[in-house]
């Protein structure tokens, strides 16, 4: 485990150096969806505080044991009727892609007097199997949700198709960065959108070179045998 983490850390660092970025501007989310409670506790004990899960059922036992010790990221597709399970537990939602979901988050967060930080999920690759808004629909969506005061849009999220050669994902990540910059020029959010949630085990180095601020790493950290 420690060796794998050190190896990933070196690769993140090298990608930052290659692209003239600061290591501290890239956050690593440990995606623990395939990891047991024990393995998750072990990962967090090595200082990884950002934890990603894609379903509440998988996360519940881990959150109950370790919730206070981490910053939790909901990275899976989220249905409005599941918001009640995760609100006030997951500080970040990476899969905002619908007005009804934004409204449900707003309702629950305002009742609790909290702010939820959200990434709008964008389907840059255009594959029908992927969730997320088409790039051209993001600006109108941001207009629609601008008045929701308890949902803070911090960034954009995307998933690239799996490529044998990770270099082939570069246009997807570059596309998300350009979209973010374009949206900021239009001032559609209360504050500029700064974050980009992109890059997984297969392609995180390319994503970092293209500006990722949150990489979501599962299998490369956890390995298959421990999951
Ligand atoms: C599972 C998952 C990851 C991590 O995938 P790996 O390839 O194992 O690193 C990242 N993001 C999302 C949305 C996921 O569902």
């Amino acid at each position: 485990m420690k060796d794998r983490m050190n190896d990933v850390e070196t690769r993140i660092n090298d990608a930052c150096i290659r692209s003239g970025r600061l290591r501290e501007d890239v956050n690593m989310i440990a995606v623990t969806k395939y990891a047991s409670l024990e393995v998750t506790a072990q990962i967090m004990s090595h200082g990884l505080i950002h934890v990603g899960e894609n379903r509440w059922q998988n996360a519940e036992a881990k959150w109950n044991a370790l919730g206070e010790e981490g910053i939790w990221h909901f990275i899976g597709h989220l249905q409005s009727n599941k918001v009640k399970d995760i609100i006030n537990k997951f500080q970040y939602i990476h899969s905002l892609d619908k007005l009804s979901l934004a409204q449900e988050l707003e309702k629950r967060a305002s009742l609790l007097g909290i702010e939820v930080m959200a990434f709008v999920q964008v389907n840059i690759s255009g594959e029908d199997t992927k969730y997320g808004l088409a790039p051209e629909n993001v600006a109108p969506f941001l207009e629609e949700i601008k008045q929701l005061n308890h949902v803070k849009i911090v960034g954009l999220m995307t998933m690239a198709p799996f490529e044998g050669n990770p270099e082939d994902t570069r246009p997807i990540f570059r596309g998300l960065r350009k979209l973010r910059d374009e949206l900021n020029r239009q001032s559609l959010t209360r504050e500029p959108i700064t974050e980009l949630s992109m890059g997984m085990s297969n392609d995180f180095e390319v994503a970092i070179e293209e500006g990722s601020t949150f990489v979501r790493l599962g299998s490369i950290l956890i390995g298959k045998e421990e999951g």
Side-chain angles (χ1 to χ4, degrees):
M1 164 82 53
K2 190 71 191 154
D3 287 351
R4 255 199 299 265
M5 290 174 67
N6 287 337
D7 177 52
V8 170
E9 184 50 44
T10 304
R11 289 173 60 185
I12 291 177
N13 229 327
D14 289 349
C16 287
I17 291 167
R18 278 198 298 280
S19 49
R21 301 190 58 206
L22 296 175
R23 172 64 189 88
E24 69 208 49
D25 292 342
V26 181
N27 298 286
M28 188 198 320
I29 301 174
V31 175
T32 52
K33 64 188 183 195
Y34 300 128
S36 64
L37 170 56
E38 291 68 31
V39 170
T40 303
Q42 206 187 332
I43 289 172
M44 292 174 75
S45 74
H46 289 305
L48 287 191
I49 55 164
H50 292 284
V51 185
E53 285 280 342
N54 66 340
R55 304 172 101 205
W56 174 239
Q57 285 145 272
N58 290 343
E60 188 168 5
K62 294 171 237 179
W63 194 90
N64 287 338
L66 303 164
E68 300 297 321
E69 288 157 48
I71 298 173
W72 293 71
H73 296 257
F74 196 86
I75 61 172
H77 183 63
L78 182 58
Q79 284 171 338
S80 298
N81 64 1
K82 299 284 166 63
V83 168
K84 60 181 183 316
D85 297 334
I86 63 148
I87 194 83
N88 219 8
K89 298 188 175 82
F90 286 75
Q91 288 89 339
Y92 289 89
I93 312 292
H94 288 242
S95 48
L96 180 58
D97 63 353
K98 260 203 194 93
L99 179 60
S100 56
L101 176 59
Q103 287 167 333
E104 179 67 13
L105 287 166
E106 171 68 19
K107 187 180 98 186
R108 301 260 171 197
S110 77
L111 283 171
L112 292 161
I114 60 169
E115 186 174 63
V116 179
M117 291 185 276
F119 290 83
V120 175
Q121 185 169 352
V122 189
N123 184 356
I124 299 278
S125 68
E127 293 167 284
D128 344 315
T129 52
K130 293 240 182 332
Y131 288 110
L133 293 171
E136 64 273 20
N137 293 336
V138 178
F141 179 69
L142 292 176
E143 290 280 8
E144 279 184 310
I145 63 172
K146 198 171 187 174
Q147 78 290 358
L148 305 180
N149 289 314
H150 299 81
V151 180
K152 178 172 179 178
I153 303 301
V154 296
L156 304 178
M157 180 275 223
T158 202
M159 287 173 82
F162 182 91
E163 298 286 359
N165 179 3
E167 187 57 33
D168 294 343
T169 61
R170 191 177 295 277
I172 305 288
F173 298 139
R174 187 168 293 176
L176 195 70
R177 169 163 52 91
K178 289 194 162 159
L179 178 63
R180 177 197 61 186
D181 296 346
E182 176 55 33
L183 294 167
N184 282 335
R185 276 192 285 276
Q186 299 175 48
S187 300
L188 299 163
T189 44
R190 286 190 296 281
E191 287 169 44
I193 304 170
T194 52
E195 310 304 324
L196 293 173
S197 169
M198 57 189 198
M200 302 173 32
S201 293
N202 186 52
D203 52 25
F204 66 97
E205 290 154 297
V206 178
I208 291 170
E209 290 168 13
E210 293 299 329
S212 175
T213 63
F214 282 91
V215 290
R216 309 180 307 267
L217 304 181
S219 44
I220 200 169
L221 286 179
I222 286 138
K224 307 256 185 274
E225 73 281 12
E226 286 167 280

